[in-house]
Amino acid sequence: MADGEPDYSSLPLTERWVHKVWKVRKQAYEEAAKQFEVTPDEYDPAFRPFNQDPSLWKGAVADSNVAAQSDGIAAFCAFLKFGGKECCVRSRGQVVTPIVEKGLISTRPATKASSLEALLLLIELDVAGPVIEDIIPAVSAKQPKVIAAALAALTTIFHNYGCKVADPKPVLKILPKAFGHADKNVRAEATNLAVEFYRWLRDAMKPMFWGDLKPTQQSDLEAQFEKIKAEPPPKQERLLRSQQAAMARAPPPGAEGEDMGDENGADEPAEVDAFDLAEPQDVLSKVPASFHDNLSSSKWKDRKEALEALYAVLNVPRIKDGDFGEINRGLAKCMKDANIAVVTQAAQCIEVLAKGLRKSYGKYRSTVMAPIMERLKEKKQSVADALGAALDQVFLATSLSECLEDILSFLGHKNPQVKEGTMKFLVRCLRTTREPPSKQEVANIVEAAKKLLSESSEGLRSGGAEVLGTIMKIIGERAMNPHLEGLDDIRKNKIKEYFDKAEVKAKEKPKPAPAPAARGPPGGPKKIVGGGAKKAPGATKKVAAAAAAAAAAPQPAPDPAPPAPQPTSRAAPGSKLGMPKSSGLSGLKAPQRRIAPPGVASPRRAPAVAAPPPPPPVEDEEPPVSPPPKPRIGLGRGGLAARSLAKPTATPATAPTAPSPPPSSGLTAIERAELEELRAANERLTKQVDEMRHERNKLMSEVQELKNQNAGLIEDHTRDVLSIKAKETQLVRARSDTEAAEQTNERLRRELDRLKRALSKAELNVSSGVGSPGMASPTPDDMGIYRDGANYSGARTNRMSFTSTLSEEKENGDAPHNYPRSKLSPELRYGSGSSGRGSPARGFRSLPAEEGVGHGTGSTTSSVTGGTGTNGVESWKRAAEVTSQLKARIEQMKARQGFNRP
């Protein structure tokens, strides 16, 4: 403490822990961390106060002072590291939330790293579930930086422990919410978490949240996924304490457990299925009540719609088990439907139902499998594909043994199409099954496949060869050779080709190895001889060389003998290639070491050495090795001693071979190194093949996509060409219509001009008649008017009729040439005797007529001027009416032709 500050070191640690002065709290955190580090075990009293009151850690990891907080979280890490599981379980509920909300968002890198380490330690000491449950609520926090920090912590947890230790289901459910956040940092961390999930789960994670993402987010994630598809399967980088303890109890490397561990390790990175991640859903309650009625309808559309509704209900990742017997019986009945659309939809329903129920669907196999296989006679590829997919899912819900009887019966079906479909289904079953068939089942399959080899159809013959090649891949060439006797070389070569190409998941080869190991211990002492016998088939020449070396140097044998057995006993099980040689040498050295101590060491090593070799070579080589022990039996003391002393008989004859152990050990190491190199090369080549296959599939998909695009472009081009031609035709028609309309318009315009000229002439005649009433009116002959001469001398009204009218002239196309168009003047129009009204020109025209009849020369000025005023006004009105009528008629004619008035 600085000068002037009180000394708080005398206070108890728990009081300083919650002191209001941050420096005091910081010193308390540092002191506690040092105490935890020096504790001898997790039961030390230093942990007791914090186990009794775990809430002390809540204030320490969320201290208001950043310097004290850093030391508080470091002290909590030391508490977990040295305190064990009890400390973790008691304090876990108090610290996870403060660490996420205060520690992970700290600006100090040390504090952030300590916070993350504390979360990982909480999982390492116990389980991951409670920690993840406490982190998930932070994803709904108000501050974006808290959400981003929580997502980053989850990514680190799954990266270190994987999806087998940490359950991904709760986190997958909240991913869509993180992807929909407004903050870009939150979305970036969500993308990192999704990519980490893809490393472990691959496509199995998509059904959980993929549909809730935007298309752009889906495309971005797909681009990220492409980068890690070629990566090898991930491995757990950090082990739980329970896993560490299990590994500590495991046998050391070099023992038999190493090979077993390698085999188990190969199976360990099994891909997680979407079925394991999904929650079971109750779909029986969602099946429409009218499903069975519609399914039995006489209309195929009703049946198809009922199956489509059922498919929509059943298409979920995981289905809760229930009574689906009636539904499966209805679907099996649909396999006999005459409409292939109904058959296809029913097969798809069976597929999704079997996929959602998995093993629970096995009880319905007998109901649906035979009807589906009977329907394989359909030649349409889409129907065959749907039926095949349904059969595959039914098989995955059962096993090869359960399905084999139906498969073999349909392989002898009279319809070749059914035979071929059943054969393809059998090949898929053999490739998929993880349990190899029994010997009897193999014999039945081989017998049926041999019959297919003699079929007339090439597809069936090739299918029979493929079945035999796949069976050979499962049981091995040696076990398959007896079944191939009697076949010609061409068929054998064909079977061998399919054997090389076949990829299976079940193999019988690993199983025979444990069987001799079980036989080894009962005959422990005798197996040393077996070990020598094993050496003979493996390296006969080396045995002779060893015998020559033994005759040359019998004395040095005891010195190198003791160290030799140890490496040989370890190397023998570790490497199968070096096993025969090391076992033979160990059989020779064991008696020499037994000479000094009691003869027990040799029998102990003998079973280990004798375990790996297969039984047949041991039986063949036991007779030549067994005679040497008989002369030495007399030296033994009988019983077990006699058996153990029987081995020293080999020492006089082969004692000089003792110097050979070092070379044998060296050879074993070389062979092991070669084996490792071969394995590494094999893995490298396998990886290259997988990469090339993946690249080929990608290129094929791109080629197909380009083909589809090309076809689409060709179709679009054809459509555009047809559209252009149609437009050109329409354009030609429109041009011709336009020209016709222009001609009509021009003709109407000329007619209008002509009518206007006629009207103007008529108006001029009217005006001239009004201005000089004494002028003589046109004669009847000039105007083309016929007058009725009845009472001509005294009549005041004259009857007139026009020889032609405007409409007649227009229809005939020619105006009469014998008289001008002045006939439309008011004098002529209104001089008709048929009109009941007095014409303004009646007095004007009657005067000359009377004069002509009576040959008088008297002036009629008074009678003419008397009607001059009314005559002019009336004439102008009539002219205006005629003009308006003509204009209306012209407009009607233009409207008929489709042109507007200019």
Side-chain angles (χ1 to χ4, degrees), residues 290-291 294-295 301-311:
S290 60
F291 168 71
N294 293 335
L295 197 62
K301 287 188 177 180
D302 294 343
R303 299 195 297 273
K304 185 173 182 293
E305 289 174 358
L307 291 172
E308 288 175 348
L310 178 65
Y311 180 84

Side-chain angles (χ1 to χ4, degrees), residues 20 74 110 112 156 165 182 232 266 279 343 352 480 484 517 526 532 540 724 799 806:
K20 62 181 180 179
K112 193 178 296 185
T156 305
V165 174
E279 294 292 335
V343 176
V352 295
M480 191 65 183
L484 300 182
K526 291 184 179 180
T540 310
I724 290 171
R799 300 177 63 187
L806 178 63

Side-chain angles (χ1 to χ4, degrees), residues 353-389:
L353 183 58
K355 189 176 181 180
L357 287 174
R358 290 291 173 91
K359 294 300 180 183
S360 302
Y361 192 79
K363 51 181 174 280
Y364 308 115
R365 181 201 62 79
S366 58
T367 305
V368 298
M369 179 168 279
I372 295 175
M373 298 178 75
E374 186 70 38
R375 192 68 189 203
L376 288 172
K377 60 186 178 182
E378 287 293 336
K379 294 183 179 180
K380 193 170 183 180
Q381 190 61 35
S382 59
V383 182
D385 292 343
L387 295 172

